[in-house]
Amino acid sequence: MIWAYQQRLDPFYETVLWSPIWSTILAALPVVTLFWLLVMRRWLAPKAAAGGAVVAFLIAIIVYQMPPVMAGMAFVDGAAFGLLPVGFTIFNTMLLYNITVETGHFAIVRRSVAELSADARIQAILIGFAFGAFLEGAAGGGTPVAICGAILVGLGFDPFLAAVLCLIANTSPVAYGGLGTPLITLSGVTDIPTETLSIMAGHQLPILSLIIPAYMVRCMCNWKQTWEVWPALLVSGGSFAIFQFTFATIHAYVPRLVLYPMTDIGGGIFSLIVTGIFLKFWKPRNEWHFTPESKAKSQDSEQGPPLTTWNKTVAWAPYGVMSLFLLLTGFVRQAEGHGPVRVGPIQTNYLVPIPGLHLESYRDARLLEEGREHLPEKAEFNFAWLTNPGTPVLLAALISMAMLRMNAGQIRRVFYRTFLQMKIPIPTIACMLGLSYITRYAGMDATLGIAFAQTGLLYPFFAAILGWMGVFLTGTDAGSNALFGSLQKITATEIFNNHPGMFAGLARQQLQVLICTANSTGGVMGKMIDAQSICVATAATNQLGKEADIFKAVLWHSILLAAVVGLITLLQAYVHPFSLLVPP
């Protein structure tokens, strides 16, 4: 049976209930239900996610008149993505961490970080921000939050705070995550060259990268205590911001030298090295720990056999092997974007059409650019057995078991412990992503997006907020760009045509670049509140059942930082000389 389905931005059009307000309210109802159950009713995350998914299913078939089979298959598609690669990656990330704990090598990892600085503020910068940026650039997919959260807890951080800090840190690098995947996706739906989008992002994100380390530390302590480590904050954030700006924009100054895919990988390593060298010559006057227990744990970490180059190398080797594999598979994943990559007789990934959904859902014509063909949406499950981030992490875990000479009993214990840790987060992620896929294929997300497009001359600000909402709904910056990128370009064109004299010397194409890029740069701030990231954070820090508390803790940080991106976009649209930062 053929279930071709035409999405509608206003499902009540030409009915007695016709009003865009009703459509917007009902489109938002699944997400509102999810967080009412999670935050207000305090349901366990899997039950709250399932409740939100049920509401999304009912709205899709009753209000949007989506065929039930299609709505069900949309949920299956999202849930499958929640299991692979997201759940698979989280499981293997925690497995690797448990291996280092079981073998006793994590104590050496902890001591080696404390050797650079026992100050918790600086440890958060080194691990949460710099190392996290490297992991985001190499893999993305929740890997930075999982790995860095686990390491910070091992260093003596309060688990709740560790989760919050890692979520805040995993923001400004996200647009270049996975070797630039979000910007590449944005280019695909807007026909704006990725190199141009990268220049625009490189003229926005370094400002945020400079302040994120200080913002993290301020979340840990008061302003006086934050100011005590301002030199380290400046070195860490400044070195990353300079590197981010350089690699994101260098092709504008040196033609054919395109380095933007390596922005986060190189920037994270550069920040780690520069900050580590700086700490050899500078220490904070007062060493700070946020609890007496963490101070005692830090002092305990100084005990044990002397740290040598050899035992530090062995202790960090699992993470080094993981990073190398992530980097190598990242290059393969980038090549997959140009066509199948073969390993002998098999491909590195297979696109599996979702029956009853693939090429059966058509976007509303108002979301399409003039002249663009009205094609149905693809619904293909990407079975990337080699290049999803979980595979290189699993390979690193298996190699680490052999390298660290684990016996059968130890291997059994780490697998059992990891299964127990993941029994709630992975089903939760599957349900939440199932919910988001229903809203996407039914057209509910587009209804919400078009509401933002009615803000007229304030739209440059709300373009960033729309990207933020897109990441919240889809779980990824790339997903938000795929969802709203075309709408951003259409709206930018309409605003320019209606108010051509209002912009500070920008041409129409420049405004399109600015607005479309804001979808990605604003979207990165939604990364800390999307369901996938929240569940990864709770799993990595053993905070199961605290999803609602963590969400409430980071929500206002997310809104504030997204508003900062919106204000930057407004300035670049309307105020000279900020408009000079928009590439031609």
Side-chain angles (χ1 to χ4, degrees):
M1 185 177 293
I2 298 177
W3 295 100
Y5 167 67
Q6 175 64 60
Q7 297 179 14
R8 293 176 298 165
L9 295 177
D10 187 356
F12 292 121
Y13 184 67
E14 294 184 343
T15 71
V16 293
L17 295 176
W18 179 63
S19 169
I21 295 176
W22 278 112
S23 299
T24 303
I25 291 173
L26 287 171
L29 191 57
V31 175
V32 172
T33 300
L34 168 64
F35 286 101
W36 179 71
L37 294 175
L38 188 65
V39 178
M40 305 300 294
R41 300 291 297 173
R42 310 291 296 181
W43 282 23
L44 290 176
K47 292 183 179 179
V54 168
V55 172
F57 181 83
L58 293 175
I59 298 261
I61 63 174
I62 296 173
V63 177
Y64 282 79
Q65 298 181 12
M66 186 181 196
V69 170
M70 285 186 66
M73 294 311 296
F75 178 85
V76 170
D77 190 14
F81 180 77
L83 296 175
L84 180 74
V86 179
F88 185 58
T89 299
I90 300 167
F91 181 90
N92 292 321
T93 297
M94 290 306 299
L95 178 66
L96 184 69
Y97 168 72
N98 287 330
I99 287 170
T100 63
V101 172
E102 177 69 25
T103 57
H105 287 83
F106 190 81
I108 298 175
V109 170
R110 182 173 65 240
R111 291 173 59 202
S112 66
V113 175
E115 188 179 46
L116 286 174
S117 177
D119 191 295
R121 296 166 295 188
I122 295 174
Q123 291 175 350
I125 299 168
L126 291 171
I127 299 300
F129 178 72
F131 188 49
F134 166 77
L135 293 174
E136 178 63 34
T143 306
V145 176
I147 290 288
C148 297
I151 291 177
L152 288 180
V153 171
L155 286 168
F157 278 62
D158 173 76
F160 187 89
L161 181 59
V164 170
L165 293 176
C166 289
L167 288 168
I168 293 173
N170 191 38
T171 49
S172 62
V174 167
Y176 292 94
L179 297 173
T181 298
L183 291 179
I184 293 171
T185 302
L186 183 60
S187 175
V189 298
T190 61
D191 293 328
I192 299 173
T194 311
E195 290 80 1
T196 304
L197 295 169
S198 179
I199 293 172
M200 188 67 255
H203 290 166
Q204 292 182 335
L205 289 175
I207 300 170
L208 296 159
S209 298
L210 184 61
I211 66 174
I212 286 295
Y215 197 98
M216 290 173 60
V217 172
R218 178 60 186 85
C219 291
M220 298 171 61
C221 54
N222 59 40
W223 281 113
K224 179 177 181 296
Q225 293 163 331
T226 301
W227 180 251
E228 290 173 352
V229 291
W230 74 263
L233 297 175
L234 182 62
V235 169
S236 177
S239 59
F240 183 84
I242 291 170
F243 196 100
Q244 188 179 47
F245 171 81
T246 302
F247 269 49
T249 65
I250 195 169
H251 51 273
Y253 310 101
V254 184
R256 298 184 181 179
L257 185 60
V258 180
L259 299 176
Y260 73 85
M262 298 296 294
T263 297
D264 283 349
I265 293 174
I269 295 174
F270 185 66
S271 180
L272 271 174
I273 293 174
V274 170
T275 308
I277 293 173
F278 176 73
L279 291 172
K280 295 290 185 182
F281 303 96
W282 178 88
K283 301 289 182 185
R285 181 176 302 175
N286 300 310
E287 188 176 289
W288 187 85
H289 305 270
F290 55 85
T291 64
E293 292 79 7
S294 67
K295 182 175 182 179
K297 193 166 188 176
S298 177
Q299 292 170 342
D300 290 342
S301 71
E302 297 174 2
Q303 302 174 2
L307 291 176
T308 65
T309 302
W310 172 250
N311 61 21
K312 285 191 288 186
T313 300
V314 172
W316 277 99
Y319 296 107
V321 172
M322 177 199 70
S323 300
L324 177 62
F325 284 165
L326 284 170
L327 184 59
L328 294 176
T329 56
F331 287 120
V332 178
R333 184 169 61 250
Q334 196 172 42
E336 288 174 347
H338 304 289
V341 177
R342 305 192 72 86
V343 178
I346 60 176
Q347 297 177 188
T348 57
N349 73 311
Y350 293 88
L351 297 177
V352 182
I354 303 298
L357 184 64
H358 179 55
L359 301 181
E360 297 292 343
S361 178
Y362 288 79
R363 282 286 186 188
D364 190 287
R366 283 172 286 177
L367 297 175
L368 301 176
E369 292 181 66
E370 186 176 351
R372 186 182 284 266
E373 190 176 358
H374 195 188
L375 298 174
E377 285 202 272
K378 294 180 179 179
E380 298 173 312
F381 177 71
N382 185 13
F383 178 62
W385 63 270
L386 177 64
T387 55
N388 81 79
T391 299
V393 179
L394 176 60
L395 290 175
L398 297 176
I399 290 173
S400 298
M401 289 177 184
M403 184 173 59
L404 301 178
R405 299 180 180 180
M406 295 180 66
N407 58 43
Q410 289 177 310
I411 293 173
R412 246 189 337 265
R413 282 195 295 274
V414 297
F415 270 104
Y416 180 69
R417 187 180 307 134
T418 307
F419 274 113
L420 288 180
Q421 291 168 330
M422 294 295 104
K423 68 179 182 179
I424 291 179
I426 290 179
T428 301
I429 293 170
C431 287
M432 288 187 174
L433 286 174
L435 182 159
S436 72
Y437 273 53
I438 293 174
T439 63
R440 170 187 169 185
Y441 285 102
M444 286 181 253
D445 51 14
T447 299
L448 295 173
I450 210 71
F452 281 97
Q454 308 305 312
T455 53
L457 289 174
L458 287 177
Y459 188 72
F461 175 86
F462 286 101
I465 304 302
L466 179 57
W468 171 82
M469 185 181 72
V471 174
F472 170 68
L473 290 172
T474 67
T476 67
D477 197 38
S480 175
N481 290 340
L483 183 61
F484 290 135
S486 180
L487 173 64
Q488 296 275 23
K489 188 176 181 181
I490 293 169
T491 308
T493 303
E494 289 182 0
I495 293 173
F496 184 88
N497 291 340
N498 293 332
H499 310 279
M502 292 298 297
F503 302 96
L506 297 182
R508 181 179 62 183
Q509 292 82 355
Q510 287 180 290
L511 186 64
Q512 290 171 345
V513 169
L514 175 62
I515 295 297
C516 291
T517 305
N519 192 83
S520 191
T521 55
V524 302
M525 299 309 167
K527 188 66 180 168
M528 71 176 84
I529 60 167
D530 76 79
Q532 172 183 323
S533 295
I534 295 289
C535 292
V536 171
T538 57
T541 57
N542 197 25
Q543 294 285 289
L544 303 180
K546 296 288 186 68
E547 291 83 2
D549 297 326
I550 291 177
F551 173 77
K552 288 190 292 186
V554 297
L555 175 61
W556 292 111
H557 300 303
S558 178
I559 293 173
L560 175 61
L561 291 171
V564 170
V565 179
L567 291 173
I568 292 172
T569 307
L570 270 179
L571 287 173
Q572 292 175 333
Y574 295 119
V575 182
H576 187 84
F578 299 102
S579 58
L580 297 176
L581 294 173
V582 183

